[in-house]
Each structure stands twice: as C-alpha cells, then as structure tokens.
Amino acid sequence: MKTVYLVVAILALASSAAYAYDPSPLQDFCVGTNDPINGVFVNGKFCKDPKLVTAEDFFLHVNAANVSNPLGAQVTPVFDTQLLGLNTFGVSLARIDFAPYGLIPPHTHPRATEILIVIEGSLMVGFVSSDLDKNRLFTKVLNKGDVFVFPIGLIHFQLNVGKVNAVSISGLGSQNPGLITIANALFNSTPPISPEILAKAFQMDKSLIGHLQKQPWYNNNN
C-alpha cells in the first residue's frame, strides 16, 4: 500500500506541475476583448465572439523604439495586452532596441522562459542561477544571428557592447510572462521597503539606502 500511496503522490505532484503554466486552449482561438457584453470569460480575459474575429486580431506592427532614456534601451512587448489574438496561446514576444552601451537591467520573468535572437549589433547577455546552485553567472557576448536562452524565473540582463545601435527579439513561454526589475522592485516599491531591512540585507549604510530610494528609477518596458 505504501508503494501505491507513493505513486499517487508523485502523479498528484506531476499534475500540479503541469498546470503551473498557461493552460492549453480548448478552442482554435480566444481573441481577447474588453467588451464583456459580446464575450465569454476565459483564462483571465473575455473572448471575442468567434464570428466577429478577423485577421487583424492576430496582427500587430512593431516599430523601432526611442532609446533616448537613462538606460539607453527600450522594450516593446507583444503580450496578450498588445495583441489580443495571443490570448490562451501561451506565448508572447518582445522587440528590444538598444543605443550604444544601452542596458536592459537585471530582471526576472516569473512565468516564462525567454529565448533571444540578436537581429543587429552585439550584446553581452547573462543570467544568474539560484541560491541552491551557488548563484553562478552564465554570460556570453552575442552577435547577429546568435541565440541565447534565459531560464524561467532567473535574474538576467542584456547590454549592448557595441558602438552602434542593436536590436534583438525575444520569445517568451507565456502570453503574460510578468516582469520584476530588481532595482525598481527593491528601491522604488510602494510603499517603500524599510531602509533598515535593505541596509541589513545589502550590508550597506542606511543613508546610502535612503539615497537609492530617492532615485528616479526608470522602467524601460513600454
């Protein structure tokens, strides 16, 4: 009987893990709509009446972004919010434009693995493994046509190491991968995290923490 219980427990855990990500769709498409009168609520959004769906619901043109900001880089997301036809498909995309030496600062996507391809320029990219893996840094310089994968939930970054603009495209394994930019979350939360907590965590003087909390932390995600 113990063996039976063990097998049941393993199957239960496997079943729970299977539902930890975006659920599989049960229809051809479920174009999101903000009109609940003519929609059906599915997976966090109302579905547009299939009879009213057109090719435009699955189309979006993405322009180059303005990179004249403090970080010198800008993300243009193509998530279910921007492209309603993505609803329930479990994937999304982002275009990232970089000025010379522009940076996408350390951040995580709690619900998605990210795969990035460089379209133009050269990027230094990297991610840090978890505490259990001793926070190892995996980093590489990528050139046009190179591809790199950032595992789900791990802190990662991208830096343009060239003297010219760079462009990359990222595919993400969720229609809404989420974003936590580490510096913004820690030093620009609302309400602020207690300086005593951050000073002890970072082993810094509390006055320096106060200085960091007063900075205008920029969010380079549209």
Side-chain angles (χ1 to χ4, degrees):
M1 287 297 293
K2 289 183 178 180
T3 302
V4 173
Y5 289 141
L6 179 59
V7 171
V8 170
I10 292 173
L11 289 174
L13 286 172
S15 176
S16 297
Y19 287 96
Y21 303 98
D22 294 12
S24 297
L26 299 177
Q27 63 284 319
D28 288 346
F29 46 77
C30 172
V31 174
T33 177
N34 296 319
D35 178 13
I37 296 177
N38 295 314
V40 178
F41 194 74
V42 176
N43 194 33
K45 286 187 179 293
F46 285 95
C47 289
K48 190 175 183 178
D49 185 337
K51 296 177 182 178
L52 303 177
V53 170
T54 70
E56 296 302 309
D57 292 310
F58 304 100
F59 171 80
L60 183 70
H61 181 77
V62 179
N63 292 311
N66 185 344
V67 292
S68 59
N69 59 60
L71 295 174
Q74 190 70 42
V75 177
T76 304
V78 183
F79 298 168
D80 60 346
T81 302
Q82 292 79 28
L83 183 56
L84 292 171
L86 279 176
N87 190 42
T88 76
F89 287 168
V91 295
S92 58
L93 178 145
R95 171 180 171 139
I96 312 175
D97 290 277
F98 299 84
Y101 310 111
L103 172 70
I104 299 298
H107 63 282
T108 73
H109 302 293
R111 293 183 290 278
T113 291
E114 176 180 353
I115 183 167
L116 175 146
I117 182 169
V118 178
I119 305 301
E120 296 291 344
S122 298
L123 301 177
M124 183 175 72
V125 304
F127 68 86
V128 180
S129 66
S130 64
D131 291 7
L132 291 177
D133 193 45
K134 303 185 183 302
N135 302 122
R136 290 191 294 158
L137 172 63
F138 297 82
T139 186
K140 190 170 180 64
V141 173
L142 307 181
N143 298 300
K144 183 177 180 178
D146 290 342
V147 175
F148 198 84
V149 174
F150 306 101
I152 184 171
L154 297 186
I155 295 172
H156 58 283
F157 59 86
Q158 297 102 23
L159 172 69
N160 182 2
V161 292
K163 297 180 180 180
V164 298
N165 286 9
V167 180
S168 67
I169 301 292
S170 287
L172 299 116
S174 170
Q175 69 181 53
N176 185 9
L179 173 70
I180 302 171
T181 304
I182 307 307
N184 298 33
L186 291 174
F187 300 115
N188 196 33
S189 65
T190 304
I193 299 174
S194 167
E196 287 80 4
I197 292 174
L198 293 176
K200 191 166 187 177
F202 286 95
Q203 300 179 41
M204 290 182 176
D205 187 89
K206 192 166 68 172
S207 62
L208 179 56
I209 297 296
H211 171 74
L212 291 172
Q213 289 181 319
K214 292 177 182 177
Q215 299 308 301
W217 294 97
Y218 181 76
N219 179 1
N220 56 3
N221 285 266
N222 284 338

